[in-house]
């Protein structure tokens, strides 16, 4: 080693020795900070008032040459970061859908960060793969998924943690594409892969999530966005009509997405009708239950997933409503071999002797690398228990119904969609423009935060129950804010 | 609220009240546990001895109905998890490439987990987007990236955190595809998108990472895997020859990947030659410097990225070698508008008033959701400082050279590739079979862990310097193990 390296070596070594003790202090200080942040989150303005570009002037233009102190970073959290945070875990936050946040998941992530294995193959960290296989079974059993989806059934099926529902939709589409190419070539040996792909057509509802459309764009596949029925549900009849049209036009129907709980209005497509159509025409049926899927841990909501046994893949996001921090999107496949075979690139440095006797999850997903995310499922399911998780879902739905009742009690408002889960869609009776002004004023005051949606040219407001800390009294605060803002808008008018 | 909901409500509420204090205890206990784990990691067998299926019998078949205690979980870590962990952060771990792990990153993730915002748009948490924009500038400046890649230049360019290099390669390919379709239609208005896509062809080296091939499969695009020159580098000449052949065959060259630091042998393609060819033929040049890119924070290694100004996109993984925990793959684009426009699906619930004045990163990536990952870049860069990060890189490279010198001092061995970074490729002089037996025996003893690779039918062992805790004395231990195993194999023979 030359003297330059000697010097580098020495410097770094000294740093390492300081680190473990610093970490004990710094880590514990952060634990206290975040406990305090979450306990007192009601006191913060839910939506920040900063303008684009606010942050750059608050910090240096370049990284420091020499280390800062961790105490300085702690101080900068309130000075630099918090003024620009939208507080998703405030009980005043009613936008989009919930994203999960729980103490057990945060602690599990500390362990995951320390082990910091990359679980792309079984051998790269057997515990990472094996705990995931079993946790996906635990979760699947909690939802009463049919046996063929579970690894413990001993069949082909099993679950995997994806990053997001968008990736699950894309992965399912790619599996469906691989299957369709295989079937197409068996029936028409004269056709090339490209010929077949050009004829493939998939189906989704115009009410499905934007990521479904995006999966079609990314996969380079025609996806038809079908107009749902008057209650905004995709039905078997609508699907079958489209399929028949396309077959007559010489196309190959291969993939359909059934949404259980749309983003706009938490509407449930008619799975029970769509399944038989898909099975009849050999169409891969993927179920996107990103938000609402968590509710299926309560038996009384399982009527909404009736017909699931006919699906090829099912996905929901525990990182939305089941208190497991992002990213944790649970996906089950009846036959993952379509994926494994389609994307199997197998360099020597990733081969190992146990190949085939346990899943190598890298074949089940878009990225190669993956964190040890099963730990947070394990911690959350154990530290809440099924009972408390069910109570959480039931309580949030009860609060949505409480808000619904308040809206219904005021004749200036209307409920625009049936309230089934933790989302209330409502509007002032009147024009879209008035409702746009209403929402702008409401969000502008910064006490609560909602986003709008629009179905068939009707603009409405979406109030989602998001924070796990939300209590009935918080809903009363939100309603008071809605009501007073309506008073102001209507008085102005 | 009916009585059932009342009960659910009450139960959940009580749980919440217990939680914050439990979290303070549990979180701090975990901080101590992981500090101890990492401090004493040398004592653990690097590769576990478990067999596939080991974990399932160790835990219940279903999630518990009622909550477990956090103390029970702490006990189960050593009983259930640790026996199946491959210890990536042991100084005895020399497989694949390093994956990052540092205390500042772990603490940043605690904060990220508590804020738990989903930064898909600017308004969804302005701090999440803004800190990312500035951190990507900090990182870009540390690497001396050309101005057009930096957001602070005021041009179109900028950086984004992707999950993995696989995703960056795919995102670049999709951007290139969108640009090629646009150019193709301008030149040939009679051609459909599908006609153009069918003619597109991209280029990569047969030595590039498996994820490049996979990106082609996922994007449904022809990617030619070119044979590199005798030193395993892709050159301008090789690329240009392929491009000309394809143009003559009526195809449209549109995308090329230049690898700086291949996975097999850490070889650097000839970027300086590839750039002009790509620019001449209007080919999107993407640079994959997943592992080696971190070394460019040291000026003395920047000769390896000469010619970078001609690239369209550049990617490296701070989550490999720059002490920022997975996932944090840094990608810069000169013109992200190709992506933004190609995948722009814009539902009302994601619109906001500041659109256009700050990036909405959801358009820059495959998933919709994203965590607050800029925090860990901020914490790591500040708490190490550029100086210590450079010292880390230099020390690891010095240790690779130390191991190289040990190998060269023993005439039974040969070094198969030039050692440039923290990877040493070597083998016993002799047959592939003997080297396969050698590696099997070496890994079987469980003291150190390596994976093999093969180039042009020559099988060799890869020894990567992975753990940030590795010291020269650890390298001596690894060499002793290699040497003794060689003695055994050669004695047997």
């Amino acid at each position: 080693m030359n003297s330059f390296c000697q010097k580098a070596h020495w410097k770094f070594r000294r740093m390492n020795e300081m680190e473990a003790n610093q970490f004990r202090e710094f880590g514990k200080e952060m634990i206290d900070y975040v406990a305090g942040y979450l306990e007192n989150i009601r006191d913060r303005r839910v939506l920040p008032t900063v303008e684009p570009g606010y942050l750059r002037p608050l910090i240096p233009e370049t990284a420091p040459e020499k280390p800062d102190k961790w105490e300085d970073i702690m101080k900068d959290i309130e000075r630099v970061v918090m003024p620009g945070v939208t507080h998703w875990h405030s009980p005043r936050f009613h936008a989009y859908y919930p994203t999960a946040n729980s103490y057990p998941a945060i602690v599990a992530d500390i362990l995951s960060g320390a082990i910091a294995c990359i679980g792309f193959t079984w051998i790269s960290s057997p515990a990472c793969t094996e705990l995931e296989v079993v946790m996906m079974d635990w979760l699947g059993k909690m939802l009463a998924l049919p046996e063929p989806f579970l690894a413990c059934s001993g069949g082909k099926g099993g679950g995997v943690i994806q990053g997001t529902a968008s990736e699950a939709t894309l992965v399912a589409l790619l599996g469906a594409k691989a299957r369709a190419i295989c079937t197409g070539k068996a029936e028409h040996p004269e056709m090339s892969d490209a010929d077949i792909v050009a004829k493939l057509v998939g189906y989704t509802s115009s009410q499905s999530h934007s990521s479904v459309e995006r999966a079609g764009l990314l996969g380079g596949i025609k996806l038809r966005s079908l107009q749902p029925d008057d209650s905004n549900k995709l039905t078997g009849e609508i699907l079958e009509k489209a399929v028949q049209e396309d077959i007559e036009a010489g196309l190959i129907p291969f993939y359909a997405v059934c949404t259980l709980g749309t983003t706009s209005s938490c509407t449930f497509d008619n799975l029970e009708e769509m399944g038989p159509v898909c099975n009849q025409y050999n169409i891969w049926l993927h179920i996107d239950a990103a938000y609402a899927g968590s509710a299926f841990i309560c038996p009384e909501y399982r009527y909404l997933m009736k017909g699931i046994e006919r699906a090829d893949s099912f996905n929901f996001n525990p990182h939305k409503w089941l208190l497991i921090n992002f990213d944790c999107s649970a996906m089950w496949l009846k036959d993952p071999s379509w994926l494994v075979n389609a994307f199997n690139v197998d360099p020597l440095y990733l081969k190992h002797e146990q190949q085939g006797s346990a899943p190598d999850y890298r074949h089940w997903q878009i990225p190669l690398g993956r964190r040890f995310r099963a730990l947070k499922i394990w911690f959350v399911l154990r530290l809440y228990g099924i009972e408390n998780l069910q109570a959480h879902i039931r309580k949030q739905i009860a609060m949505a119904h409480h808000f619904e009742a308040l809206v219904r009690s005021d004749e200036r408002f209307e409920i625009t969609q049936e309230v089934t889960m933790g989302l209330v869609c409502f509007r002032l009776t009147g024009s879209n423009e008035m409702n746009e002004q209403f929402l702008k004023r409401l969000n502008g005051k910064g006490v609560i935060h909602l986003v709008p949606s629009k179905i068939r040219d009707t603009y409405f407001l979406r109030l989602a129950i998001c924070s796990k800390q939300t209590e009935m009294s918080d809903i009363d605060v939100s309603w008071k804010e809605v009501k007073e803002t309506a008073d102001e808008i209507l008085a102005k008018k």
Side-chain angles (χ1 to χ4, degrees), chain A residues 102-164:
Chain A
S102 72
Y103 294 130
I106 292 173
V107 179
D109 265 345
I110 299 174
L111 181 59
S112 171
I115 295 176
C117 61
I118 301 294
F120 40 46
T121 57
W122 180 84
I123 193 68
S124 73
S125 214
C128 180
T129 296
E130 300 222 352
L131 191 62
E132 185 162 332
V133 172
V134 181
M135 284 306 105
M136 293 304 294
D137 278 347
W138 276 23
L139 267 182
K141 287 174 188 171
M142 283 169 66
L143 269 64
L145 289 189
E147 283 275 311
F149 285 111
L150 306 182
C152 59
S153 73
K156 284 182 173 182
V160 61
I161 305 174
Q162 301 284 356
T164 59

Side-chain angles (χ1 to χ4, degrees), chain A residues 221-279:
Chain A
I221 286 285
K222 202 180 297 111
L223 260 196
R224 280 183 67 181
S225 178
L226 304 176
Q227 186 64 31
D229 72 3
D230 289 345
S231 58
N232 300 317
K233 294 168 194 286
L234 196 54
T235 63
E237 196 185 329
I238 294 168
L239 177 63
E240 187 158 25
K241 187 165 163 286
V243 168
Q244 285 176 341
E245 280 167 12
D246 289 332
I247 291 174
E248 277 167 36
L251 298 177
I252 308 173
F254 83 113
Y255 180 60
V257 177
C258 169
T259 307
L260 299 183
T262 59
T263 308
S264 272
S265 58
C266 203
T267 299
F268 292 73
D269 286 338
N270 195 323
L271 172 59
E272 211 178 350
E273 289 179 13
M274 287 176 70
V277 176
C278 289
N279 290 176

Side-chain angles (χ1 to χ4, degrees), chain A residues 52-74:
Chain A
Y54 92 93
L55 186 140
R56 195 184 283 275
L58 300 180
I59 62 175
E61 282 175 22
T62 54
E65 277 296 322
K66 292 184 185 300
D68 287 346
K69 289 193 181 124
W70 67 258
E71 291 87 347
D72 294 334
I73 290 200
M74 286 306 304

Side-chain angles (χ1 to χ4, degrees), chain A residues 177-188:
Chain A
K177 183 176 161 185
R179 190 175 83 174
I181 291 173
C182 182
T183 316
K185 286 189 117 164
E187 288 173 11
H188 302 281

